[in-house]
């Protein structure tokens, strides 16, 4: 800043964090006041650090605002023990909207909780030895790791490393435990609370959210390059020697604001397993100290990387950690997404990959996934693994139980073979309406119908059963990672979407904007000519996204985010 420039004003979030670094706000007092159905604005910001969002049912707005809460778990690597799953299932029946939502970061969300049930839900989650601390807020979020059960020891080691990093980056405030487990307001007269400053985050935490993921090539099932911090497992002579580290990925953008854009992370070097915690803390503190605290739309680590450059970042990090990163090693990603059906674990037991449409575990008409899962969990105690593509895996199943489990699922309308459709299995949608306050258009409720129409179109142009990765979000924030899809739909207004084309199977490339503000009836007519051309012109085995990149974008140009990862 030169002498004449005045410092830019910090955001309101910065001043409330500075004033109450324990993040306690007046949450406990409001919780105890049965006469009110919601929290004040500042407390809604603190609640996020506790894993809670205040929402309202947007379908009911015409008749008045009905406040409801969404609670998100912190489940590193998406591993849910059977006992905890049973508790989650009970809690969603008694207190929520009778569904459990698998998120695109391997967690569970409970929707539709009214204020006086918030306490019991939070207590129930903690009693099940799970928690929601730092599932949201300006902190490191749920750490992702490959969900498929260990085919060898490497996957277990990577999962352990993901857990260690998750633990190392947790905030240390005692407010969470005090409010939700002990049920009391934090005693602010106690000097340790009065003077509390988080040892890692400081008083004002991060300028914005921070996301971490681990991947084991060739699978990129965690969509690694969309994370602020990523670790790519390097396996040499069948041993996990360490990780290539990536920094500066992120997808959120705003319509009409060119200064915001999706960005693919950079690979910045190699670290050993022993160095993981230190480098993770180091990267987080660079975000803490250099992220933009004057504009929350410009506050992600990706903008620090884009504006200051990779070399600057590496130098800053190395100064903080006191050692040099090694040169990045060879790696290659082939595929994102999940495998479905029965498979064998290294220990001889079985696991079952189940497709869950848009991650919503529910009973609806003849499809009763929620009831079936509960029976299986009670009787066979499988471990539940949540995947970053919003599906689930039942793990650690004895081979002898396979037939009966298959028939219990079948009796509940849940197939094990040929689950969903080819397009459905490769799709994702964010929740959007009616719970998300930021949704501009439908997503989860709308995508299945649109997919049927696209399937019909594909059949008509000679592409029946062609896998194309389709993702939809109700606004440009990118929660279902639409900017990595071969076809991405991004909500612009009710019934209107942007269409992005050209992501790839390994999820190492951003797609580009093809058409803006397309009305629902025109989506199919916009897609028809490109799919017809793809069908005619594609090379043998060439995927739709790769054809777009090779052909369409050479002709059309196309706008988009920053970067393409090496793979
Ligand atoms: Fe997200 C905000 C849902 C993954 C980028 N996201 C929201 C909120 C909380 C809306 C709000 O702030 O009021 C949504 C709650 C809707 C609801 O009713 O449940 C919401 N995000 C989700 C989930 C549930 C979508 C899903 O389909 O599963 C995912 C929860 C993951 C988890 O368990 O932690 C979810 N959100 C993502 C991802 C994907 C990822 O992390 O891999 C992104 C893009 C990656 C990134 O962060 O850049 C993402 N969500 C955002 C943003 C844009 C952030 C930005 O940098 O601009 C917002 C808006 C915000 O934070 O203000 C947002
Ligand atoms: Fe809400 Fe937008 Fe995220 Fe969808 S992408 S859940 S509409 S914030």
């Amino acid at each position: 800043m030169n002498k004449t420039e005045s410092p830019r004003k910090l955001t309101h979030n910065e001043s409330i964090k500075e004033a109450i670094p324990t993040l306690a706000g007046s949450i406990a007092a409001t919780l105890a006041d049965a006469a009110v159905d919601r929290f004040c604005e500042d407390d809604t910001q603190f609640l996020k650090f506790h894993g809670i969002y205040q929402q309202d049912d947007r379908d009911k707005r015409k008749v008045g605002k009905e406040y409801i809460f969404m609670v998100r778990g912190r489940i590193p690597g998406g591993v849910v023990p059977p006992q905890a799953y049973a508790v989650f299932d009970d809690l969603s029946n008694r207190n929520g909207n009778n569904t459990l939502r698998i998120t695109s970061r391997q967690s569970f969300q409970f929707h539709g909780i009214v204020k006086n049930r918030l306490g019991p839900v939070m207590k129930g989650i903690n009693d099940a030895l799970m928690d929601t601390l730092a599932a949201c807020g300006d902190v490191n979020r749920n750490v992702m790791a490959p969900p498929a059960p260990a085919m060898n020891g490497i996957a277990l080691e990577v999962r352990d490393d993901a857990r260690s990093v998750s633990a190392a980056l947790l905030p240390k405030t005692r407010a969470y435990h005090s409010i939700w487990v002990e049920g009391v307001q934090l005693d602010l007269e106690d000097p340790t609370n009065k003077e509390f400053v988080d040892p890692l985050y400081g008083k004002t935490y991060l300028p914005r959210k921070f996301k971490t993921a681990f991947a084991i090539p060739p699978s990129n099932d965690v969509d690694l390059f969309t994370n602020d911090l990523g670790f790519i497992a390097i396996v040499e002579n069948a041993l996990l020697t360490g990780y290539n580290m990536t920094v500066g990925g992120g997808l959120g953008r705003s319509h009409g604001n060119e200064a915001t854009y999706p960005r693919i992370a950079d690979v910045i070097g190699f670290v050993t397993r022993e160095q993981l915690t230190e480098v993770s803390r180091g990267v987080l503190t660079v975000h803490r100290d250099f992220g933009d605290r004057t504009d929350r739309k410009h506050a992600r680590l990706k903008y620090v990387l884009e504006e200051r450059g990779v070399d600057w970042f590496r130098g800053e990090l190395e100064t903080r950690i006191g050692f040099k990163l090694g040169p990045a090693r060879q790696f290659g990603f082939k595929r994102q997404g999940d495998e479905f059906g029965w498979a064998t674990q290294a220990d001889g037991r079985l696991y079952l990959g189940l497709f869950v449409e848009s991650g919503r575990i529910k009973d609806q008409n003849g499809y009763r996934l929620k009831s079936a899962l509960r029976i299986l969990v009670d009787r066979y105690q499988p471990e539940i693994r949540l995947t970053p593509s919003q599906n689930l895996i039942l793990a650690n199943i004895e081979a002898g139980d396979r037939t009966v489990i298959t028939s219990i699922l079948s009796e509940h309308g849940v197939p094990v073979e040929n689950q969903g459709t080819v397009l459905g299995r490769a799709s994702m949608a964010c929740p959007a309406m009616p719970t998300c306050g930021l949704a501009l258009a439908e997503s989860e409720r709308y995508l299945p119908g649109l997919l049927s129409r696209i399937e019909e179109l594909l059949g008509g142009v000679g592409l029946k059963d062609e896998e194309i990765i389709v993702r939809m979000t109700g606004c440009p924030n990118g929660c279902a990672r639409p900017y990595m899809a071969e076809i991405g739909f991004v909500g612009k207004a009710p019934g209107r979407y942007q269409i992005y084309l050209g992501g790839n199977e390994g999820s190492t490339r951003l797609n580009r904007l093809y058409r803006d503000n397309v009305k629902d009836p025109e989506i199919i007519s916009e897609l028809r000519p490109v799919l017809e051309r793809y069908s005619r012109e594609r090379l043998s085995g060439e995927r739709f996204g790769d054809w777009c990149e090779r052909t369409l974008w050479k002709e059309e140009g196309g706008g988009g985010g920053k970067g393409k990862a090496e793979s």
Side-chain angles (χ1 to χ4, degrees):
M1 187 181 24
N2 69 38
K3 276 188 190 146
T4 50
E5 268 180 285
S6 55
R8 290 172 65 199
K9 200 165 167 278
L10 297 179
T11 62
H12 180 66
N13 290 60
E14 294 304 317
S15 50
I16 65 173
K17 288 182 283 184
E18 168 88 34
I20 311 182
T22 60
L23 309 171
S26 52
I27 294 171
T30 311
L31 206 57
D33 184 351
V36 293
D37 59 354
R38 64 181 169 122
F39 294 82
C40 69
E41 188 51 39
D42 287 356
D43 278 354
T44 63
Q45 299 305 322
F46 289 128
L47 278 171
K48 293 181 187 176
F49 291 81
H50 301 233
I52 300 168
Y53 276 82
Q54 180 164 294
Q55 304 182 317
D56 72 287
D57 185 333
R58 295 180 61 181
D59 284 347
K60 297 186 178 158
R61 274 191 189 171
K62 279 199 179 119
V63 288
K65 239 181 182 180
E66 182 178 291
Y67 287 97
I68 47 176
F69 294 83
M70 178 269 274
V71 172
R72 184 186 288 168
R74 183 180 65 88
I75 310 177
V79 180
V80 185
Q83 305 76 1
Y85 181 85
V87 173
F88 285 4
D89 186 60
D90 285 343
L91 289 172
S92 72
N93 295 343
R94 282 195 229 117
N95 308 287
N97 66 358
N98 207 5
T99 73
L100 275 169
R101 176 58 154 73
I102 305 170
T103 74
S104 56
R105 294 193 69 78
Q106 299 183 282
S107 187
F108 269 136
Q109 281 188 179
F110 299 82
H111 284 110
I113 302 164
V114 292
K115 188 188 142 250
N116 70 8
R117 301 305 300 162
L118 204 47
V121 169
M122 294 292 282
K123 179 81 167 60
I125 293 173
N126 281 277
D127 286 350
L129 301 182
M130 305 294 279
D131 70 74
T132 64
L133 176 63
C136 321
D138 298 341
V139 281
N140 180 55
R141 304 286 187 91
N142 199 40
V143 176
M144 294 209 275
M151 302 299 287
N152 53 42
I154 305 288
L156 277 179
E157 287 177 322
V158 171
R159 206 214 299 171
D160 285 348
D161 288 342
R163 283 189 174 142
S164 307
V165 168
S166 171
L169 303 185
L170 266 185
K172 299 283 184 290
T173 171
R174 283 160 47 185
Y176 180 86
H177 196 264
S178 156
I179 298 170
W180 305 111
V181 181
E182 292 163 2
V184 291
Q185 177 66 297
L186 193 70
D187 178 6
L188 288 177
E189 292 315 308
D190 178 331
T192 51
N193 297 327
K194 208 171 183 174
E195 308 301 329
F196 177 78
V197 177
D198 188 277
L200 175 65
Y201 289 97
K203 260 184 140 179
T204 50
Y205 294 81
L206 300 179
R208 204 71 163 81
K209 59 181 81 170
F210 184 90
K211 297 182 172 179
T212 307
F214 285 72
I216 310 176
S219 171
N220 189 12
D221 48 8
V222 297
D223 247 332
L224 191 96
F225 295 102
T226 64
N227 286 267
D228 298 86
L229 173 61
F231 294 105
I232 302 168
I234 300 296
V235 179
E236 289 159 339
N237 300 322
L239 289 177
L240 177 64
T241 49
Y243 297 91
N244 279 351
M245 186 162 105
T246 65
V247 285
L251 298 182
R253 49 172 281 273
S254 305
H255 288 311
N257 182 350
E258 294 290 312
T260 63
Y261 45 81
R263 184 178 191 277
I264 288 280
D266 295 288
V267 180
I268 68 159
F270 173 85
V271 295
T272 63
R273 293 185 73 196
E274 293 68 37
Q275 294 168 335
L276 267 181
T277 307
E278 212 167 341
V279 291
S280 301
R281 288 198 171 123
V283 174
L284 186 135
T285 62
V286 179
H287 183 212
R288 183 193 67 193
D289 299 343
F290 290 91
D292 185 350
R293 290 181 187 264
T294 65
D295 177 2
R296 286 181 69 78
K297 290 202 181 301
H298 185 253
R300 295 292 296 271
L301 181 65
K302 64 182 174 181
Y303 298 114
V304 177
L305 257 295
E306 189 63 27
E307 287 155 22
R308 293 177 182 258
V310 175
D311 290 341
W312 172 88
F313 186 91
R314 193 186 293 105
E316 178 63 35
L317 177 65
E318 288 176 346
T319 307
R320 286 168 186 243
I321 56 183
F323 57 86
K324 292 228 170 285
L325 305 178
R329 307 208 177 160
Q330 279 288 337
F331 70 98
F333 284 124
K334 287 210 170 80
R335 197 165 158 79
Q336 55 78 60
D338 298 325
E339 303 293 331
F340 301 96
W342 287 104
T344 307
Q345 298 177 186
D347 62 5
R349 289 184 294 175
L350 304 181
Y351 68 95
L352 173 62
L354 283 177
F355 164 63
V356 184
E357 191 178 71
S358 301
R360 188 71 68 174
I361 299 178
K362 62 184 175 190
D363 283 352
Q364 196 174 39
N365 306 325
Y367 171 84
R368 291 183 298 131
L369 177 65
K370 193 157 190 283
S371 299
L373 284 178
R374 184 55 190 270
I375 293 170
L376 298 182
V377 164
D378 287 347
R379 285 193 200 157
Y380 305 100
Q381 301 280 299
E383 190 173 77
I384 309 277
R385 305 275 180 88
L386 310 177
T387 82
S389 296
Q390 305 170 333
N391 298 304
L392 67 78
I393 293 168
L394 301 177
N396 304 340
I397 295 173
E398 299 303 332
D401 294 331
R402 173 179 172 150
T403 310
V404 65
I405 288 178
T406 302
S407 39
I408 290 171
L409 285 165
S410 165
E411 282 157 23
H412 287 79
V414 181
V416 162
E417 303 293 330
N418 301 319
Q419 300 177 38
T421 61
V422 176
L423 218 56
R425 289 200 300 267
S427 74
M428 279 211 278
C430 74
M433 301 288 285
T435 52
C436 180
L438 307 178
L440 304 170
E442 292 280 349
S443 180
E444 183 183 320
R445 299 194 293 199
Y446 174 76
L447 185 63
L450 178 62
L451 286 185
S452 303
R453 288 190 278 152
I454 298 176
E455 277 158 0
E456 205 177 303
L457 169 63
L458 288 174
V461 300
L463 293 169
K464 188 171 179 322
D465 287 342
E466 183 72 25
E467 185 190 81
I468 297 180
I469 301 158
V470 180
R471 295 178 179 175
M472 171 174 272
T473 54
C475 86
N477 283 321
C479 298
R481 299 187 289 269
Y483 308 113
M484 307 304 289
E486 292 179 288
I487 304 180
F489 295 103
V490 173
K492 191 123 196 223
R496 288 171 185 266
Y497 295 87
Q498 295 184 314
I499 304 178
Y500 287 79
L501 301 180
N504 65 345
E505 192 182 10
S507 229
T508 58
R509 181 175 70 215
L510 286 164
N511 53 23
R512 305 189 209 187
L513 180 62
Y514 176 64
R515 293 287 182 262
D516 201 4
N517 213 15
V518 180
K519 281 196 227 131
D520 166 45
E522 287 150 22
I523 292 178
I524 296 298
S525 48
E526 285 291 355
L527 288 178
R528 183 183 302 280
V530 260
L531 287 167
E532 276 171 351
R533 273 193 64 188
Y534 164 59
S535 179
R536 278 197 313 272
E537 296 174 10
R538 68 178 167 160
L539 306 175
S540 162
E542 189 177 34
R543 289 188 65 107
F544 178 63
D546 295 333
W547 172 82
C548 291
E549 191 64 18
R550 180 176 64 83
T551 306
L552 192 67
W553 292 129
K554 290 249 156 50
E555 298 159 11
E556 293 228 5
K562 308 267 182 200
K564 181 165 116 187
E566 296 297 325
S567 87

